[in-house]
Amino acid sequence: MIQTCVAAETYDEPARKRSRLASPSPGNKSHSSHPLSILPRGNMLLSSAPSSIRMLGLGSLAPLTDTLVIEVLSLVPHVELLLLSACSKAFFAFARHEQLWKNLYLDGSKGVLLSWHGSWRKSYLALQASPAAAGPLDWPTDSIKTPGLYSDVLYLPYLCTRTPIHDYFFPRRRPRSNIPHHPASTLTHKIFSEKYALPSRPVIITSALSTWPAFARSLWSPQTLKTRFPRVHFRAEALDCTMETYTSYADGCALEDSPLYLFDSRFVEKTNGEMGEEYTPPEVFGQDLFEFMGDERPDYRWLIVGPARSGSTFHKDPNSTSAWNAVLQGKKGWVMFPPDVLPPGVYVSEDEAEVTSPLSIFEWFLSYFDEAWATYGPTARDPKNRGKMMVGVCESNEIFYVPSGWWHLVVNLEFSVAVTQNFVSIHEVGNVLSFMRDKPDQISGFKRAPGSLEPHHCSSLFDRFSAVLRQSAPEALDYGLKQLDVKVRKGARTTLWDSVIKKDIEQDANAQSASSSGFSFSFDLEDNEQ
């Protein structure tokens, strides 16, 4: 057991360092409002108490770090966890750590959030007593405090819930934004291509959803969705739940530092296509080339619902696609970095297959935002870095464009409802083909082929997608392959670039077939642009 815990502690070393950095000054009066009266470790220096209650309260576990103590408790069943919480105030505080109970709920609920009682601890214990139980649980232990306990690890989740996230985007009531805004009424496909897609720059498109029934008639508000689809279970991270249960959770998760994020890729299928008919992908983004793959195309659209503080930490969109994100209700804060800038505090493997980010969105803001803004913001000292960090807020009736390969963090500044789609247009096709060819083990979201019991082998998707484009959109394949640095391979297999150059009889026949498919571009590309 100890060996396992030591390994976990070693892995979490960067997180513990950030936790200490995030601890506020000892004189901050907001400390006293912690539900258990826990304070950061730095407050021990000014404490009049002879010592922390931790040493005597944890007994033989006291020499372990706080992270290791929690790791040990994660191996304990819930009954023993409750018994330990009765041993001392120190054990009571550690045994109430919400992540312990969230993990227990995930393991014991069979992947369904049945009801919410204000905390994962109460919700899990209610699940054990009666899965159908409803209403809050008020216990005598709710009034217990643990003064004299100093822990960055236990205090940090509370600090995150108290962090005024708006201040990062609206410092001193002035918006911090260096992401351009463009009215939908004046944005054509050509303008979008020239100003944003070709140079790979994000943009917020304003007044963009007025023609969507989902927005104009408020068909996607949580209240309306609860009425329209009362039995539909939407996906919220690792749990399924009805919209009624999720809104109950969202209304009562004030103590959650990282609230559950409803992020469902099957929302159209689950509602028998109804929700898919209530919005229309904007035409300015061009033809989505993945449409030619039909039922084989990867996951590409998601319904996104979440309370304030929910969101997703730094990531790149799958398969090197671009994306658009439309906000139907609320406000979403965005932090962006171009593909060549790794966000501070984010660590990736050499092939970018593994990404390690801070444990929570707010931990990144507390520890890295100011430094990142000074280093990569619009007033950075180094001209090479100036303006590479982009920040903005996307509000209701607006669409955010995420170029291929850009790192982005998204956080809800208030309860928000949005829909997003990943796509492959003429501008991303080269990136996607390169990704499929060079990183087949990182391809995600593709369905199994029709009539097959097994999904596509990832290494064959480059050939499959290229063949589809050759059949239905040869111009796009030609343009995409010209963006690749393709080397001639030895052996039986030749490169697709060779087949394009040779223009053999088979390709000519396919091109003729494609000409009848109606595929075309609404703008011309000069040689230098290609």
Side-chain angles (χ1 to χ4, degrees), residues 249-376:
Y249 165 83
D251 291 339
C253 65
L255 297 180
E256 281 271 82
D257 61 317
S258 298
L260 281 180
Y261 206 18
L262 193 152
F263 208 87
D264 197 313
S265 64
R266 307 290 295 170
F267 70 100
V268 173
E269 292 80 1
K270 290 177 180 179
T271 57
N272 296 320
E274 288 188 44
M275 295 184 71
E277 298 175 354
E278 294 165 356
Y279 78 99
T280 305
E283 294 181 357
V284 295
F285 299 124
Q287 173 76 59
D288 185 354
L289 300 176
F290 267 158
E291 289 181 355
F292 294 118
M293 297 197 72
D295 294 337
E296 302 175 51
R297 73 169 302 166
D299 295 332
Y300 68 100
R301 57 189 176 191
W302 289 266
L303 171 68
I304 310 174
V305 183
R309 305 191 316 279
S310 62
S312 55
T313 190
F314 280 107
H315 64 283
K316 292 182 178 182
D317 281 327
N319 306 320
S320 205
T321 56
S322 290
W324 56 262
N325 187 301
V327 180
L328 292 94
Q329 176 181 334
K331 297 179 181 179
K332 304 173 82 70
W334 291 75
V335 181
M336 308 279 293
F337 288 91
D340 61 324
V341 177
L342 184 65
V346 177
Y347 309 91
V348 299
S349 58
E350 185 175 354
D351 60 355
E352 294 191 358
E354 297 182 7
V355 179
T356 302
S357 300
L359 296 181
S360 72
I361 293 172
F362 288 85
E363 191 172 354
W364 187 87
F365 277 96
L366 287 166
S367 300
Y368 294 104
F369 182 92
D370 291 335
E371 176 186 355
W373 187 250
T375 305
Y376 296 102

Side-chain angles (χ1 to χ4, degrees), residues 54-117:
R54 184 186 187 284
M55 186 60 67
L56 292 177
L58 293 183
S60 60
L61 293 184
L64 302 180
T65 65
D66 291 355
T67 304
L68 270 176
V69 171
I70 293 174
E71 189 70 22
V72 170
L73 295 183
S74 70
L75 306 175
V76 176
H78 78 276
V79 174
E80 283 77 3
L81 200 58
L82 290 174
L83 292 175
L84 279 173
S85 68
C87 294
S88 67
K89 286 189 175 181
F91 263 125
F92 180 81
F94 276 92
R96 280 177 64 107
H97 189 59
E98 275 290 271
Q99 191 61 46
L100 295 172
W101 295 97
K102 183 177 182 179
N103 292 340
L104 287 170
Y105 195 100
L106 293 175
D107 292 339
S109 65
K110 298 180 180 179
V112 179
L113 180 63
L114 295 172
S115 60
W116 178 250
H117 300 270

